[in-house]
Amino acid sequence: MSSDSRLGYASTACCKSRRLVLRIVRLFWLLLLMWTCGCQNKATSTSQPAHAPAHAPTHAPVSQSHFASRESDTLALCSFHNGKEAGLNSILEIVGGGVACIDYDSDGNVDLLFAGGGTIDRVGESISGLNCQLLQGDGHWNFKNRSDQARLDTARIYSHGITVSDYDQDGFEDVLVYGYRGVVLLHNQGDGTFFEAPWSGLANAGWITAAAWLDVNRDQLIDLYLGSYVDWDIAKNQVCQSRTGQPDVCSPNAFNGSENAVFINQGDGTFSIESDAIKTDQPSKTLGVLAAEFSRDQGVGLYVANDLLANFLFTRRGDRFEEHAFASGVAVDDEGVANGSMGIAMLDFNLDRKFDLFVTNFENEKMALYLNEGSDVFRYASRKVGLNRADLKLVAFGTVAADFDSDGDEDIVFASGHVHYHPDEGKMELLPAYLQNEAGKTLSHFKPDCSFFNNPSVGRGLATADIDNDGDLDLVGTHLFGPPSLIENTGRLDKNWLTVQLVGINVPRTPIGTTAELTVGSRVMIRQLYGGGSYLSHSQSRLHFAWPSEQVVDKVDLLLRWPDGASQQVQVSPGQNVVLLQQDANQIGSK
């Protein structure tokens, strides 16, 4: 979350000569930015090579994405509380909270669940949690607060994040809330209420800042990987100083790392810890985790984003998992430096039907794009695609990848906001970023004409879902201070889209690792249902496809590959949400 002495964190002063050099560099980039910037729907030339001639490109890419901010009176009750008013300046305060997109009442509409955070008693040296807030959606941007009716009792922990899965395989989406002092596992009873199972075995899980569901031991039950941040409690709190001498949050370098953990689903509502299932001898300060199959027929693995430590990549080798992030090229950046990594998104960026990784990092670091070359090898491609621009040197957190402009490739959005109350330069509030994929070659940075993308905030969580059931994907963002943001994708679609909800039979009912290849004419698109991702947040558990409106088809072909190796071919009509069971090529439900 913060930078080390190399980057100049709150308690370290930078020498005058270096500051002069940085100012000269920033001035250069400012002049370049003024030269390249255009109006609302023109790119800021992320694809511009360093040796380009000193004139504007003849054909600047134009954004096809359109967004609009949505207001809701119920959002004011969903603001995250970080405890800043206690004046402790603790590292706990700046982690923030996320959001989950869930259909808790099984009515086909997206509901929203927000982490509540908590309060800090500096005198009594205690930390208390606040309940999460549940908003029931009607598919038309109207929400009702159902937190009390749903019996959401999560206040025993200071909550950060939320993830969703049908862990007991009864057909209803269950909820795991995680944060300081562990997790709360909420069983969805199917009647609009939740019930916490105190006997689950997950109560004493420590300070959890990331979580992902996956079937670790291939027993058709979904297990849980929990990532921890640093070894901190209120008795160990330290306060550092900003460059102007003000009390501020310390770097994570001031604290030791913590151990991540694996909990195995026993099938009776309980979990048992399996310390040797997925482990490494290296320390971890985990803020993001993603469970997915990175190479075909390899099984579901894990990518773990650490703060100022090398990231991890765990791949299945028989019945065990091996960590080989350095050998695979996803541990550090192209200079061999471990970054302050937070959020993770997975996508087929360059349209080669292999899954690539996008990772958000700290300021003065590039956002990382690792291109999947196959056979457990990734190539660092941030410079090639234009992610080394000065206007993208942000403190970035939650991130999602999806085809927001309906052109057949996946774009990227990320939230950003500083981690120091008194940053070395500027303010805590930063702008989020929308990166448009240009046919798998470069990423163009646009600022859509929407208040979310033009008003700085201290952004943290980010999730995507089709909130209004019109076939394109909308956004939900959370902030360290203030109510969440609802962002409608206002692109117009006819029938050039399809969403797929998967139901496992011989694998967990939430079939993490299932891939789907959609063929529309000569165009082939690939998506995967993965666990975790983004930052403290959970996107809608559907696979989304879209393609240009001029490509009109009556039927599309879907090839499903399930985590147990089984394949399934199905043909469906576009322009709808289809629900598909494993080994059943019949459409069993649509909306």
Side-chain angles (χ1 to χ4, degrees):
M1 309 272 307
S2 180
S3 85
D4 58 8
S5 58
R6 176 183 56 84
L7 299 176
Y9 62 91
S11 62
T12 304
C14 198
C15 64
K16 293 182 179 179
S17 60
R18 184 181 177 190
R19 294 182 67 178
L20 178 61
V21 171
L22 287 175
R23 287 173 180 170
I24 294 173
V25 171
R26 290 190 183 102
L27 178 60
F28 168 78
W29 278 113
L30 178 61
L31 293 173
L32 181 62
L33 183 61
M34 293 172 62
W35 169 60
T36 56
C37 277
C39 58
Q40 132 192 352
N41 269 342
K42 291 186 179 180
T44 56
S45 303
T46 58
S47 57
Q48 184 85 355
H51 57 275
H55 56 77
T58 305
H59 301 289
V62 176
S63 175
Q64 301 302 316
S65 296
H66 302 277
F67 297 92
S69 295
R70 279 281 185 168
E71 302 297 330
S72 172
D73 293 338
T74 56
L75 288 178
L77 299 175
C78 302
S79 297
F80 182 80
H81 297 268
N82 76 333
K84 178 181 184 293
E85 61 275 6
L88 199 65
N89 293 291
S90 69
I91 195 170
L92 173 72
E93 301 166 31
I94 47 83
V95 172
V99 58
C101 300
I102 178 176
D103 183 7
Y104 87 102
D105 52 3
S106 301
D107 66 350
N109 297 317
V110 175
D111 310 306
L112 303 175
L113 181 59
F114 295 94
T119 60
I120 300 174
D121 182 356
R122 184 172 184 174
V123 176
E125 294 191 344
S126 63
I127 296 170
S128 302
L130 296 171
N131 279 332
C132 296
Q133 298 297 312
L134 175 64
L135 302 187
Q136 181 186 46
D138 66 355
H140 300 285
W141 298 99
N142 300 308
F143 295 92
K144 295 180 179 179
N145 195 306
R146 299 298 191 192
S147 307
D148 293 337
Q149 294 90 329
R151 301 177 186 173
L152 284 177
D153 186 9
T154 61
R156 69 174 179 79
I157 69 170
Y158 178 115
S159 56
H160 291 302
I162 307 166
T163 187
V164 176
S165 175
D166 184 3
Y167 81 93
D168 53 3
Q169 314 213 99
D170 62 355
F172 302 105
E173 289 187 306
D174 306 302
V175 169
L176 181 88
V177 180
Y178 55 92
Y180 181 74
R181 291 206 181 126
V183 303
V184 176
L185 181 63
L186 297 171
H187 166 64
N188 189 337
Q189 301 192 97
D191 61 357
T193 66
F194 291 88
F195 175 76
E196 182 187 1
W199 54 81
S200 67
L202 298 173
N204 298 315
W207 184 14
I208 305 302
T209 48
W213 296 96
L214 73 160
D215 185 2
V216 173
N217 55 1
R218 293 176 169 173
D219 63 351
Q220 302 178 27
L221 298 173
I222 199 156
D223 309 306
L224 185 60
Y225 183 88
L226 298 178
S228 297
Y229 193 27
V230 296
D231 181 17
W232 177 92
D233 60 35
I234 199 167
K236 298 178 181 178
N237 188 61
Q238 300 182 41
V239 178
C240 294
Q241 288 187 336
S242 69
R243 287 183 180 170
T244 57
Q246 296 167 293
D248 212 328
V249 177
C250 288
S251 161
N253 282 340
F255 307 95
N256 294 325
S258 296
E259 290 188 7
N260 298 344
V262 177
F263 288 86
I264 302 298
N265 191 337
Q266 300 300 301
D268 58 0
T270 67
F271 291 79
S272 64
I273 190 166
E274 188 68 41
S275 58
D276 293 329
I278 306 175
K279 66 175 298 184
T280 175
D281 294 332
Q282 302 300 315
S284 62
K285 296 180 180 179
T286 298
L287 289 174
V289 59
L290 185 142
E293 184 176 71
F294 301 105
S295 297
R296 183 172 295 178
D297 301 325
Q298 195 176 61
V300 176
L302 279 166
Y303 184 70
V304 179
N306 290 313
D307 191 2
L308 292 178
L309 296 175
N311 298 331
F312 302 147
L313 179 64
F314 295 96
T315 300
R316 191 184 294 273
R317 298 286 189 265
D319 294 331
R320 299 188 61 82
F321 289 82
E322 293 183 4
E323 200 288 306
H324 54 91
F326 274 102
S328 295
V330 293
V332 293
D333 64 18
D334 58 343
E335 297 177 355
V337 177
N339 294 155
S341 299
M342 275 81 88
I344 313 171
M346 189 175 75
L347 71 160
D348 176 17
F349 169 76
N350 55 354
L351 310 176
D352 63 355
R353 303 185 204 175
K354 293 190 285 287
F355 291 102
D356 311 308
L357 290 168
F358 177 81
V359 183
T360 60
N361 291 319
F362 196 73
E363 67 178 352
N364 297 320
E365 299 171 342
K366 298 178 290 296
M367 304 301 130
L369 179 66
Y370 301 99
L371 295 181
N372 192 337
E373 302 285 295
S375 302
D376 285 341
V377 175
F378 289 77
R379 175 167 52 90
Y380 190 90
S382 296
R383 295 182 190 274
K384 179 180 179 180
V385 303
L387 289 173
N388 57 328
R389 285 192 54 87
D391 56 345
L392 292 177
K393 303 290 177 136
L394 300 167
V395 183
F397 285 88
T399 181
V400 293
D403 189 359
F404 293 105
D405 56 1
S406 304
D407 64 352
D409 55 33
E410 295 170 278
D411 314 298
I412 296 171
V413 179
F414 63 79
S416 62
H418 221 291
V419 299
H420 296 310
Y421 293 132
H422 308 285
D424 292 340
E425 295 183 7
K427 299 181 179 180
M428 288 192 77
E429 296 81 6
L430 299 171
L431 288 173
Y434 171 71
L435 305 177
Q436 181 172 284
N437 189 339
E438 304 294 347
K441 295 180 173 59
T442 58
L443 285 164
S444 295
H445 183 199
F446 290 93
K447 286 185 182 178
D449 187 16
C450 166
S451 61
F452 175 75
F453 290 100
N454 290 276
N455 293 334
S457 67
V458 189
R460 289 296 184 262
L462 190 68
T464 184
D466 186 3
I467 295 175
D468 49 11
N469 294 315
D470 64 352
D472 55 24
L473 290 179
D474 311 298
L475 292 162
V476 188
T478 67
H479 313 285
L480 194 61
F481 310 111
S485 296
L486 294 177
I487 306 98
E488 179 184 3
N489 187 339
T490 57
R492 293 292 176 256
L493 295 177
D494 295 318
K495 297 293 183 181
N496 56 316
W497 61 273
L498 183 75
T499 62
V500 181
Q501 186 173 340
L502 300 168
V503 180
I505 301 296
N506 300 318
V507 296
R509 187 178 178 91
T510 304
I512 300 299
T514 302
T515 62
E517 288 188 12
L518 179 74
T519 302
V520 181
S522 60
R523 184 189 300 269
V524 180
M525 294 166 279
I526 189 169
R527 304 287 186 266
Q528 183 176 165
L529 182 65
Y530 56 80
S534 192
Y535 175 81
L536 307 175
S537 300
H538 178 90
S539 294
Q540 187 177 24
S541 299
R542 295 178 184 174
L543 304 182
H544 174 263
F545 299 88
W547 53 92
S549 57
E550 61 268 18
Q551 203 164 359
V552 179
V553 292
D554 294 326
K555 297 286 184 179
V556 293
D557 294 314
L558 266 176
L559 174 61
L560 304 178
R561 292 189 176 89
W562 301 86
D564 62 353
S567 296
Q568 181 177 345
Q569 188 86 37
V570 60
Q571 191 176 74
V572 298
S573 299
Q576 62 175 329
N577 174 51
V578 296
V579 183
L580 297 175
L581 269 72
Q582 186 181 14
Q583 302 301 329
D584 183 356
N586 297 318
Q587 178 183 329
I588 65 166
S590 64
K591 181 174 176 63

